[in-house]
């Protein structure tokens, strides 16, 4: 649960720093298990956990994906990095 709390609170902080009232609906959102506050369709930032990103990765249409805390790896992070590598090679 610390990762879910971190994603949501980080989204709130970044939204505040960008002058927005809260995360979700503006340019900043978060997606974690049981709590989705996605940004507007043309939003710029989504904070999420690995478990929330994996099922959505194909339909994201993201131009950039930043993976933080990859040193604390588990099976989900390894899978995410493998999928990202395959998508990167497929886009060439």
């Amino acid at each position: 649960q610390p990762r879910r709390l971190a994603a949501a609170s980080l989204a709130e902080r970044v939204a505040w720093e960008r002058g927005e009232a809260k995360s979700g609906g503006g340019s900043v959102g978060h997606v974690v298990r049981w709590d989705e506050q996605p940004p507007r369709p043309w939003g710029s930032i989504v904070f999420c956990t690995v478990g929330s990103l994996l099922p959505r990765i194909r339909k994201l249409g993201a131009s950039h994906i930043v993976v933080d805390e990859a040193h604390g790896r588990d099976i989900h992070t390894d899978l995410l990095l493998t999928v990202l590598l395959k998508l990167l090679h497929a886009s060439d």
Side-chain angles (χ1 to χ4, degrees):
Q1 290 172 355
R3 289 182 183 142
R4 288 194 293 253
L5 292 173
S9 63
L10 187 57
E12 292 288 330
R13 174 64 188 252
V14 171
W16 177 80
E17 288 185 10
R18 294 179 75 148
E20 298 177 10
K22 61 178 183 159
S23 122
S27 67
V28 180
H30 69 274
V31 178
V32 295
R33 190 186 324 175
W34 302 305
D35 183 16
E36 290 193 24
Q37 305 251 338
R40 61 184 175 236
W42 60 93
S44 58
I45 302 172
V46 178
F47 294 94
C48 60
T49 58
V50 172
S52 298
L53 178 60
L54 280 169
R56 295 170 177 83
I57 201 160
R58 284 254 185 220
K59 60 183 176 182
L60 276 180
S63 62
H64 296 75
I65 296 176
V66 178
V67 179
D68 191 19
E69 300 290 331
H71 65 274
R73 291 169 52 180
D74 60 4
I75 189 71
H76 294 105
T77 306
D78 288 343
L79 179 60
L80 173 65
L81 294 174
T82 302
V83 168
L84 289 174
L85 184 63
K86 288 188 181 283
L87 288 173
L88 183 63
H89 289 305
S91 68
D92 287 340

